[in-house]
Amino acid sequence: MQSATGILKVIANAYSAKMVGQERLRTSLLVSLIAGGHILLESVPGLAKTTAASTLADTVKASFKRIQCTPDLLPSDITGNQIYDAATGSFRTVLGPVHANFVLLDEINRSSAKTQSAMLEAMQEHQTTIGGEVHHLPKPFLVIATQNPIEQEGTYELPEAQMDRFLLKEIVEYPSPADEFEILNRIDSGVLDPDRHVAGAVSLEDVKALQETASQIYVDAAIRNYIVSIAYVTRNPAPYIGEDRARLIKYGASPRASIAFLQASRALALLNGRAHVIPEDIRALRHLVLRHRVLLTFEADAEGIRSEEIIDQIFSVVPTP
């Protein structure tokens, strides 16, 4: 735990050297990294999502690739392809940008469903198949996908199967006036220059050590039962939150939500310097884990009801251990 605390302190200091504010985003990124999952970021343009991803990769001294998703992007543009080599008279495999420790899928909802599906194997199995040959992805492997909620022209909504593979979904908010003032100062000082790297850094071995430590964080049976109960209520809400609210839920959370709570709560406990998970960890993660898994009906959308409201109501009726 002492070693993990030291590594996390280095990462936090290096992140803060470039990023202004956005503490919630930092926590979400670190939870995803430590838990070995992927994260979906949703916000309007210009809120430093790309900067946050590249800063985290720079802090860990890991390979980082950015993929700008467009409607004409092909699956092979992500995973790689086989190219004919005239000199040897044979085909050689050229690996795509997904073969990196940190992969930023910028505006993922601009790519077609066919291209989005190319990421399913990579995100779930940590491998790609090119020409019948399996290529394993490096470890650690973290996908940071972004999407813009205000511009729907030329976009393709992410299918439920794809959404479910993201461990967390974070909504990035606008900075405060004080933070925005500091951003302007840092631009003038050159801190945000793309060629300027962070001073402190950790190795990939350090990240693997964090993941190993997190996997040993104790989760009591009462906490596990709490997680399972929450997932159950999302699927059978009527007896607990009433018919009026239950009709607004189209689909409840899959078992991946329970797994996400287990993994993410361990990572959050480690970030808070604890060797055990407490109920407050589960509550703190409720929106991150469930907002893209508890899907609401068109009726809810028409009434302006957000999934976070339903999630809060579900948590209010499930007894806390």
Side-chain angles (χ1 to χ4, degrees):
M1 288 295 293
Q2 288 180 345
S3 174
T5 302
I7 295 169
L8 289 170
K9 187 176 181 180
V10 171
I11 295 175
N13 290 339
Y15 180 92
S16 299
K18 270 202 170 186
M19 293 293 296
V20 180
Q22 301 290 13
E23 296 300 321
R24 200 177 69 188
L25 175 58
R26 181 187 69 180
T27 299
S28 299
L29 287 171
L30 285 176
V31 166
S32 297
L33 178 63
I34 296 169
H38 310 292
I39 184 167
L40 177 63
L41 307 179
E42 183 176 291
S43 80
V44 297
L47 297 190
K49 300 183 293 294
T50 302
T51 303
S54 60
T55 299
L56 183 62
D58 193 25
T59 302
V60 180
K61 294 305 176 191
S63 56
F64 172 71
K65 297 292 184 183
R66 178 180 180 275
I67 303 171
Q68 179 62 54
C69 295
T70 56
D72 60 347
L73 189 72
L74 298 174
S76 58
D77 294 330
I78 293 177
T79 60
N81 209 344
Q82 286 189 317
I83 297 176
Y84 180 73
D85 190 340
T88 61
S90 60
F91 286 90
R92 62 185 177 88
T93 300
V94 178
L95 298 179
V98 75
H99 291 267
N101 297 112
F102 293 83
V103 178
L104 175 65
L105 287 173
D106 215 357
E107 295 189 293
I108 186 173
N109 55 332
R110 287 202 177 279
S111 59
S112 66
K114 183 177 182 180
T115 303
Q116 289 174 13
S117 66
M119 289 300 300
L120 292 178
E121 182 185 14
M123 292 171 65
Q124 189 67 31
E125 309 297 336
H126 288 203
Q127 66 181 36
T128 60
T129 304
I130 305 170
E133 186 179 348
V134 173
H135 298 271
H136 294 282
L137 298 172
K139 295 181 180 180
F141 174 64
L142 173 64
V143 172
I144 304 170
T146 72
Q147 65 178 9
N148 178 355
I150 63 172
E151 192 177 353
Q152 301 304 320
E153 188 72 26
T155 62
Y156 303 84
E157 189 173 352
L158 288 176
E160 286 78 5
Q162 179 87 337
M163 293 279 280
D164 207 21
R165 281 171 170 78
F166 286 102
L167 182 78
L168 308 175
K169 179 183 178 182
E170 179 64 277
I171 306 295
V172 185
E173 305 287 351
Y174 283 111
S176 67
D179 286 341
E180 198 160 352
F181 184 85
E182 177 60 23
I183 291 170
L184 299 182
N185 290 336
R186 293 196 185 186
I187 288 176
D188 285 342
S189 67
V191 170
L192 300 180
D193 192 321
D195 296 326
R196 186 164 177 174
H197 298 285
V198 295
V202 298
S203 65
L204 290 175
E205 286 68 30
D206 290 330
V207 174
K208 291 174 184 176
L210 281 178
Q211 293 177 338
E212 178 62 29
T213 303
S215 68
Q216 298 174 36
I217 297 291
Y218 176 71
V219 183
D220 192 78
I223 299 290
R224 294 170 188 261
N225 187 60
Y226 185 44
I227 292 171
V228 171
S229 299
I230 290 163
Y232 176 81
V233 173
T234 67
R235 300 169 204 147
N236 304 275
Y240 301 93
I241 64 174
E243 287 289 349
D244 286 344
R245 284 290 187 173
R247 66 182 174 79
L248 301 176
I249 300 178
K250 186 178 181 181
Y251 296 112
S254 76
R256 280 201 184 102
S258 301
I259 296 169
F261 270 124
L262 181 67
Q263 295 173 334
S265 62
R266 281 177 162 152
L268 188 59
L270 183 61
L271 283 173
N272 292 323
R274 280 184 277 101
H276 60 280
V277 173
I278 58 177
E280 284 70 20
D281 292 328
I282 307 299
R283 291 189 63 85
L285 292 164
R286 65 189 187 279
H287 294 160
L288 287 167
V289 171
L290 293 177
R291 62 163 49 108
H292 57 299
R293 292 186 168 97
V294 176
L295 305 179
L296 304 187
T297 62
F298 175 77
E299 242 180 326
D301 190 42
E303 293 176 21
I305 296 173
R306 302 172 64 202
S307 60
E308 287 85 353
E309 295 178 43
I310 303 297
I311 292 165
D312 287 342
Q313 190 164 4
I314 288 171
F315 266 75
S316 69
V317 300
V318 177
T320 304

Coordinates of all heavy atoms in Angstrom, one line a residue, residues 18 58 73 285:
K18 N 0.0 19.8 -15.7 CA -0.6 20.3 -17.0 C -2.1 20.6 -16.9 O -2.5 21.5 -17.5 CB -0.3 19.2 -18.0 CG 1.0 19.4 -18.8 CD 1.0 18.6 -20.1 CE 2.2 19.0 -21.0 NZ 2.1 18.4 -22.3
D58 N 1.7 10.3 -20.9 CA 3.1 10.9 -20.7 C 3.6 10.6 -19.3 O 4.8 10.3 -19.1 CB 3.0 12.4 -21.0 CG 4.4 13.0 -21.2 OD1 5.4 12.2 -21.5 OD2 4.6 14.2 -21.0
L73 N -14.0 6.2 -41.7 CA -13.0 5.4 -41.0 C -13.3 3.9 -41.2 O -14.4 3.5 -40.9 CB -12.9 5.8 -39.6 CG -11.7 5.2 -38.8 CD1 -10.4 5.9 -39.2 CD2 -11.9 5.4 -37.3
L285 N -19.4 5.8 -7.0 CA -19.3 5.3 -8.4 C -20.6 5.1 -9.1 O -20.6 4.7 -10.3 CB -18.5 4.0 -8.4 CG -17.0 4.0 -7.9 CD1 -16.5 2.6 -7.6 CD2 -16.2 4.6 -9.0

